[in-house]
Amino acid sequence: PELDQTSTIRTVGMMQTFINTHPGSPRNKEAWEIIEQCRAKLETKEFKGAQLYFDMSQFRAAGIAFSTLLNHFPESASADQYKLMIIKSYYRFAEMSIEEKKNERFEQVITECNEFTDRFPDSRLKKEVDDFLILSQKNLKATTNEQVKTAA
């Protein structure tokens, strides 16, 4: 699943057109299987791109790329993993931010953690998300205290 996915996208469109124009065809099952294979290939490609941003420490880009991945494949078996990577990316981005931006960026991490809990309450990754939530809350409190001291 590398590089240009134009033919994969075209294949999905052609299979969907076949299914729409031949609703009673016995080959529809085969067409759906091809669509699922193509979607899996596209998902893998998009995941690798997002992971590359993360591995290169481009955490804001990684957060956006993982968010896009989750939006494109919301029913993926790995959806909770993608949401966790959004949280990790934005947390690392917040850590590396200038002081003036830390509050809003840790607040974004907290929001992402709460969305994770709402969407995946039984996920095996919930403990890790809770850890990021606690760390973000502590960082938010620390940066808020520093800003109050600086202002005084």
Side-chain angles (χ1 to χ4, degrees), residues 13-62:
M14 290 170 61
M15 291 297 110
Q16 191 63 56
T17 300
F18 176 83
I19 291 168
N20 293 344
T21 56
H22 302 87
S25 174
R27 302 199 81 184
N28 280 355
K29 184 176 184 238
E30 187 179 341
W32 276 115
E33 288 171 4
I34 291 169
I35 289 173
E36 287 304 313
Q37 289 171 0
C38 290
R39 286 186 52 79
K41 187 176 178 183
L42 292 169
E43 181 178 352
T44 300
K45 167 83 164 119
E46 209 166 316
F47 170 77
K48 285 183 175 184
Q51 188 65 48
L52 181 62
Y53 283 125
F54 189 85
D55 294 343
M56 291 174 28
S57 300
Q58 297 294 319
F59 298 116
R60 182 168 187 241

Side-chain angles (χ1 to χ4, degrees), residues 1-15:
E2 307 299 321
L3 304 175
D4 186 25
Q5 296 298 313
T6 305
S7 61
T8 305
I9 294 166
R10 190 176 313 127
T11 300
V12 170
M14 290 170 61
M15 291 297 110

Side-chain angles (χ1 to χ4, degrees), residues 121-132:
D122 302 323
S123 172
R124 61 183 170 74
L125 303 173
K126 179 138 177 27
K127 168 77 173 92
E128 197 171 348
V129 170
D130 290 342
D131 292 343
F132 278 105

